Structure formats: C-alpha cells, structure tokens
Amino acid sequence: MKTAIIYSDELRNYDFGPGHPFRSNRFTSFLELYKERLGKNENFALVKNNELATDEELELWHTPDYIQAMKAASSGITIPSLYRFISQDNLNPITGEFPKGIEKATRIIVKNSIFALDFVQEGKSEKAVSIGGGLHHAKSNYGEGFCVYNDVVVAARYAIKKYNLERILILDTDAHAGNGTCEAFYSDRRVLFIDLHQAGIYPGTGFAQEIGEGKGKGFTVNLPLAAGTSDKSYELIFDEIILPLAEEYKPEIVIRYGGSDPHPGDEITQLGLNLDGFKMIGEKVREISGLCQNKSVDLICSGYKPDVLSTIWLALITSLSGVEVELEPPLLEVKNNQMLTETKDLIKKVKENLKPYWRSMKK
Ligand SMILES: [Zn+2]
C-alpha cells in the first residue's frame, strides 16, 4: 500500500454547530469524493479507526487539568472556569456551549494522527494521511482557533519517544500561523518547524523574526505571506528556503499539515493558492520525503469554503502520493504570480535571520 487514508466515522462529532465555520460535513463530503475518485485505486487504502488517544498520549503536550476540563465540558458538565481553558471560537455560536461529544472526537483525531505516524514508521505504507488532523492552534492548557487537542504536537512527541527520532520536519501550510505547534517546539531542535501563513490574521503570531530560542534557535521558520500570495510565490519559497533547509537538516520523517484555507475562495482568509499550487505543494513534500526513505505524514482538516475543500484535499493527497488524477479547478482561480515582489523581499529577510544557523541560507 502506498498511501493509507486514516478516517473515522466519529469525525461527525467534531462539529461546532450551525453558524460556525467548522462543521463536520467536511469529512463526509471528502469521503464521498474520495470513494468516487480513488475508491478503486490500488495506491490508496481507507483505514477506519475508532480508537481514542489515551490520557498518557494527550499528556505528551496537554496538562491534566485541561484534559479534565475538556472531558467534563464536552459531557455537559458546567465548568465555572471554562474560559480559563477555552476561547469563544471553540464554542457553539448559538448555544454558547462546548459541543457535546467533541472531546471524544478529538481524541480519535489524535489517535488517527498517531496511527498515521506508526503506519509510515513501521513501513505499513509509504505515506499516511490523518483526516481530521492538523489542530495546530491548541496550546498545552488552552483550546482556541477551532482546535481542542493538538494532534500535531502529540504525534511528533510520540514519534520522538517511541521511535527515538531526532529530526522531524514539520511543515505547516495552513493559512493561519500554527501558534500551538510553534510554542511546543520553540526551543527544541528535534523539530524543524516551517510555517507558511497569511500575515496579519488570526492568531497574530508567526513573524519572520520568530526563529526559536535556546537550543532551538534557528529551528523555527516563519513565512508570513501578504494577502493574495499565489502559486509562484509558494514555489519560490520551497525552492529558496524549504528544500535547501530540508536537505541540510536531513529529516527522519516529514509531517505536513493544512487543508484548503490558502485557496482564494476561502471565506475566512485571503491567500491566492490555486489548485495547481496545492498540487505543487504535494509534489514538493514528496520530493522532500525522498530524503527520508519517502516517509511522510499528512494531517488534513482545514478549509472554510465547502465547494473547494474536498477537491483541494484530494489534490494534496494525490500529488503527495505521486498519483495523477484529473481534477477540475473549484470556483475562481487567481493569477499565479500575485505578490511575487513581496515574497522575494520576505525570502531575503528570512535568509538573513537564518544565516547564522544554516549553511544553505548563506547563499
Ligand atoms: Zn487555518
């Protein structure tokens, strides 16, 4: 099997309710398109999981009191100090409550991401995709940005612990900065964290000068992009920054995450990544995975334009797997060279900041 697609029917409960941008029908819509287009393709296998991440696994990043609060709130128990643990955007906008059953669904998402890692690490598949994964905003004791538990951090720490990995490349291509993931590995060089995101939107972090601290200095790379940034800029960043860094770092595994929200049609962001740009990302990650026996894991859940989401997710997965599938560009596309000048300036600045830590950034 080339690529395992790890999915759970329980994902239907990862839903913040009517009026919220994150609804769970994204998962069923994707599954329908996946079955229609790839269901009989021997390069892919759908793997269903119903196992929950344990407290011990969650505690690789989250505090026990946060876990207890999420568990209680999700089962309908009133928590007087709920706002100490959670932001407004993790609540149902109509009822103002923490969605029932979402804690269990998030545990399953975390387990999906752990399994994705196991699959690749143990050679059960070359690539693995955790559907529902990539909940990058969750902090150790605080949930925000539609993210309850941070499966990215838990899976990476799990990999460090179980497989003694010392060099994990985490690439965040979601339109929002991965503040939770960044915080977890800010002083840890066992993870090279590279984050492409739109500048100036939620969560308001991820400036170019944030490059890590202590032993991890130089191992966090933020690439804040101007609104409208399109395919050619992303490609240039891969060629000038991401690929050279990866070659120098020599990762033992690649974890990429992020769904369709950099698409120009997205309703809560303003980037300009077209269908071809997403395919390019998949191909580049595939190329990077060549540095580590083709091992790579994708975590996918984001996107806030339902008409776009499934096609883009499929594009990311097929290009990562090196499988050609004819896909129609969903909705509008933008010019692929938007914001190229701004991107070149950013590349210069990022290289300047990273020069003391990386030979490849001196060029
Ligand atoms: Zn996002």
Side-chain angles (χ1 to χ4, degrees), residues 25-217:
N25 55 355
R26 63 186 53 228
F27 300 119
T28 41
S29 304
F30 166 74
L31 191 64
E32 264 170 45
L33 187 69
Y34 168 83
K35 283 184 173 162
E36 186 192 312
R37 304 301 305 274
L38 301 178
K40 293 196 173 78
N41 190 316
E42 59 189 16
N43 291 302
F44 300 92
L46 191 69
V47 179
K48 291 260 183 116
N49 167 50
N50 276 315
E51 248 184 72
L52 279 67
T54 62
D55 283 353
E56 199 189 337
E57 285 163 344
L58 295 177
E59 284 170 18
L60 287 167
W61 170 233
H62 295 288
T63 59
D65 59 338
Y66 175 68
I67 296 167
Q68 283 316 311
M70 292 307 100
K71 215 170 159 178
S74 171
S75 62
I77 297 167
T78 310
I79 313 272
S81 55
L82 188 62
Y83 284 102
R84 189 155 70 82
F85 295 109
I86 206 164
S87 74
Q88 190 82 34
D89 57 2
N90 274 15
L91 300 175
N92 180 312
I94 294 172
T95 64
E97 285 170 358
F98 191 55
K100 291 232 167 52
I102 199 166
E103 199 268 347
K104 185 181 169 201
T106 324
R107 276 185 193 252
I108 285 183
I109 289 175
V110 175
K111 199 69 178 182
N112 285 351
S113 299
I114 287 175
F115 276 143
L117 223 130
D118 279 337
F119 260 70
V120 167
Q121 201 57 34
E122 290 167 8
K124 287 185 196 155
S125 62
E126 184 181 279
K127 310 270 189 278
V129 181
S130 160
I131 301 297
L135 301 173
H136 59 160
H137 298 304
K139 309 279 186 66
S140 61
N141 59 357
Y142 194 74
E144 60 172 80
F146 324 154
C147 301
V148 180
Y149 296 135
N150 194 322
D151 61 297
V152 186
V153 176
V154 172
R157 290 214 167 149
Y158 169 87
I160 290 169
K161 196 175 160 203
K162 180 164 180 196
Y163 299 108
N164 297 313
L165 297 190
E166 289 170 350
R167 290 182 313 282
I168 300 175
L169 172 57
I170 300 185
L171 177 61
D172 181 330
T173 65
D174 184 272
H176 302 94
N179 52 340
T181 313
C182 184
E183 207 173 285
F185 300 113
Y186 207 59
S187 55
D188 189 347
R189 61 167 62 202
R190 291 174 299 182
V191 167
L192 169 59
F193 178 57
I194 305 179
D195 190 348
L196 297 125
H197 49 266
Q198 185 180 339
I201 59 168
Y202 171 84
T205 60
F207 295 96
Q209 63 269 26
E210 292 172 33
I211 59 164
E213 64 186 12
K215 282 187 180 157
K217 199 155 185 191

